Amino acid sequence: MKKIVWIIVFFFIVLPVISVCQTASLTIINDRLCVTAENTPLQDLLKQAAMAGIKIRIDPGINPLISKEFTGKEIQDGFDEILAGLNHSYIWAKNLNGDPRLSEIVVFRPGKTESVQTLRASKNLDIAQDPKTGAYYVKNRILLTFNRQVSTRKVNKLIEDLNAGITSVNTYLGIYALILQGDADLNEILARLKQEGIAGMAEPDYAYRAGGTPRVTGLSESADAQAQSDMGSTPSSYAVAVLDTGLMETYASQGYIQGSFDALDPECSISDNLGHGTQMALIASGQVSPVGVNPDEFSNPVLSVRAFDDNGFTSNSTLMTSIEYALENDAKVLSMSWGSETDSAFLETAVNYAASKGLVVVAAAGNSPTGDPVYPAAYESVIAVSALGPDGKTWEMSNYGDFVDLAAPGFASLPVGYNGDPGTYAGTSISTAYLAGKIADYLRKHPGTKTIDAAELMNSD
């Protein structure tokens, strides 16, 4: 495997907020602060900073109206102006390159620091569907890269004309998000961005549904299925990052859970109201083995990431946040037991980035036998996995096609249901998590491996 070079990437998300008088915005670009606010409640502005990746802790009783307008101020100078007359403090941290970044702002009353609370963002995405293509996307959000020739003045003029906010989603890749208001015509705005030569790539912030593991009837049902007893922790440098619906609290303290992260609400402890992410964590860790597989085949550490909201949706910007967590926390394999027929340049960019940093990326081929490519599995840098039944033959509902790299066991008796009861489930989701675990185990046993043939691995003892 290639050596991973760790790079801290900042995620800045700015949402327009309706204030008492007019729209207010707070934008952070390259550690510079831009603010437009008239009689705007302070906490509305600070929520935008919280969405930008800065932890905000504030006394709930502190919420004066703010009227400010400035652009391009040094980040601390800008916040000093917003918070003038209020007791506040800053906490700075160094990224892995040794550069300082503002990580936390605390606003308090003297002698009442115990009253401060963390401002939180919404945990569910606002999703719409294109009636022509069927693609899901986050309402009023566009991802784009700017042409290098575009001046800051031209970008600011565009933001003003569109009454929008701009945020850096991934500074390493140069990907930004444009947040629009109302019922904006995304196609019209995308066309304008390209026509005016402002954007290099531009598309909606596409959204994807969580993968499905349908419950199976007609087999020997295992409603009382249980995970193996906790085998304890295993080396953290060979973890599988499971990007899914999260992890149930019951399993969060198990030794094989190396870490957890809620990409939709980083300040919140991980949860899983759907069950799919917990299922995949159990399989990738080796705590639950597919039908027909040696139950003691491997035991891996897992990084559980809640990339999907409670409605079962994720987005490209959320996935980028999730991938950065995986890279920064010693993952070796990225397991994505879900997919979509929506082909996205930014999704491909994200998984290519993960692969370039040394992660082995594994994704599900899909549970509909259409033969059509499913993404991210169909991207060149990703291992696409179809499912085998208990008889060792291709599962009848598994997808197929030239993009599929190999098949793996896809049936398992699980102590956790997916939108239902425990029992026997089937799908390429299971195949993907199992293969991800098998690869991580191989890498742990063969340190220094530069490349890995997944097909050969599946055929080995």
Side-chain angles (χ1 to χ4, degrees):
M1 302 296 294
K2 295 180 180 178
K3 181 179 179 181
I4 296 177
V5 179
W6 304 111
I7 297 177
I8 289 285
V9 178
F10 304 99
F11 299 91
F12 302 124
I13 301 178
V14 177
L15 297 177
V17 177
I18 303 300
S19 68
V20 173
C21 291
Q22 66 177 42
T23 299
S25 67
L26 181 151
T27 308
I28 302 172
I29 304 177
N30 297 328
D31 287 334
R32 295 278 177 172
L33 193 63
C34 303
V35 172
T36 300
E38 183 177 345
N39 292 333
T40 302
L42 172 64
Q43 292 188 29
D44 285 354
L45 277 181
L46 294 183
K47 282 180 182 178
Q48 298 182 56
M51 292 290 287
I54 299 173
K55 182 176 182 179
I56 304 295
R57 298 174 64 229
I58 186 170
D59 188 308
I62 300 176
N63 200 24
L65 298 180
I66 304 296
S67 294
K68 297 287 180 183
E69 185 171 358
F70 55 80
T71 61
K73 285 201 172 185
E74 291 283 353
I75 193 166
Q76 182 167 330
D77 292 341
F79 279 115
D80 280 342
E81 185 165 336
I82 294 171
L83 300 171
L86 300 173
N87 292 282
H88 62 280
S89 61
Y90 304 108
I91 297 176
W92 293 78
K94 289 185 177 180
N95 62 23
L96 294 181
N97 293 325
D99 299 321
R101 65 178 181 87
L102 181 59
S103 79
E104 184 175 339
I105 299 174
V106 184
V107 186
F108 57 93
R109 290 178 293 168
K112 300 288 185 178
T113 55
E114 72 281 357
S115 299
V116 299
Q117 297 179 11
T118 301
L119 286 180
R120 302 196 184 281
S122 172
K123 300 186 72 171
N124 288 329
L125 300 169
D126 192 5
I127 301 296
Q129 187 174 22
D130 189 319
K132 294 181 179 179
T133 66
Y136 294 103
Y137 59 91
V138 179
K139 286 183 181 178
N140 297 330
R141 185 180 297 171
I142 290 174
L143 295 186
L144 72 161
T145 59
F146 287 113
N147 285 328
R148 293 187 178 183
Q149 299 85 353
V150 177
S151 67
T152 301
R153 178 175 297 179
K154 189 171 184 178
V155 171
N156 288 337
K157 180 64 166 58
L158 172 73
I159 295 169
E160 181 181 348
D161 289 347
L162 297 176
N163 199 15
I166 189 171
T167 173
S168 170
V169 175
N170 188 303
T171 56
Y172 181 80
L173 296 173
I175 298 173
Y176 296 79
L178 194 65
I179 311 298
L180 310 168
Q181 290 192 65
D183 296 322
D185 188 330
L186 295 191
N187 290 328
E188 180 180 325
I189 293 172
L190 287 169
R192 177 179 173 182
L193 289 167
K194 294 176 181 178
Q195 182 179 5
E196 295 186 7
I198 292 176
M201 294 193 303
E203 63 184 32
D205 188 6
Y206 283 119
Y208 314 101
R209 281 188 178 277
T213 47
R215 191 173 177 187
V216 179
T217 58
L219 290 180
S220 176
E221 198 65 37
S222 299
D224 59 345
Q226 296 180 354
Q228 299 177 37
S229 59
D230 186 3
M231 299 181 188
S233 60
T234 47
S236 64
S237 58
Y238 296 95
V240 180
V242 177
L243 274 56
D244 215 287
T245 64
L247 184 71
M248 292 179 176
E249 184 179 359
T250 305
Y251 297 92
S253 61
Q254 297 298 305
Y256 51 85
I257 302 300
Q258 188 65 45
S260 61
F261 177 64
D262 189 329
L264 292 149
D265 188 355
E267 292 301 320
C268 187
S269 298
I270 197 169
S271 60
D272 183 8
N273 292 329
L274 301 177
H276 192 265
T278 304
Q279 289 181 332
M280 298 307 108
L282 289 171
I283 294 168
S285 66
Q287 298 301 299
V288 169
S289 298
V291 174
V293 173
N294 181 352
D296 298 319
E297 186 173 19
F298 56 73
S299 176
N300 296 313
V302 163
L303 297 170
S304 284
V305 180
R306 182 177 178 266
F308 290 79
D309 65 17
D310 289 341
N311 296 322
F313 282 101
T314 188
S315 70
N316 281 336
S317 53
T318 305
L319 292 170
M320 291 176 189
T321 304
S322 303
I323 288 171
E324 286 303 319
Y325 170 81
L327 285 170
E328 293 168 8
N329 287 273
D330 297 325
K332 281 292 190 294
V333 184
L334 196 65
S335 180
M336 297 184 290
S337 292
W338 49 270
S340 167
E341 292 185 359
T342 300
D343 184 5
S344 162
F346 288 106
L347 178 60
E348 183 174 17
T349 297
V351 295
N352 286 347
Y353 169 60
S356 74
K357 294 299 177 182
L359 277 171
V360 179
V361 185
V362 188
N367 296 341
S368 297
T370 63
D372 296 328
V374 168
Y375 305 95
Y379 295 129
E380 188 66 28
S381 61
V382 180
I383 298 172
V385 192
S386 62
L388 300 174
D391 58 2
K393 297 179 180 179
T394 301
W395 178 46
E396 61 181 5
M397 295 303 296
S398 179
N399 199 10
Y400 61 91
D402 293 341
F403 75 97
V404 176
D405 294 296
L406 52 84
F411 283 60
S413 293
L414 290 152
V416 173
Y418 172 48
N419 282 328
D421 298 324
T424 301
Y425 285 77
T428 57
S429 291
I430 291 171
S431 307
T432 299
Y434 168 69
L435 178 61
K438 194 170 177 70
I439 291 173
D441 179 66
Y442 179 87
L443 293 174
R444 178 173 59 86
K445 293 175 179 176
H446 301 83
T449 299
K450 300 297 182 183
T451 60
I452 185 168
D453 187 326
E456 183 176 334
L457 176 64
M458 285 301 301
N459 294 324
S460 64
D461 293 333

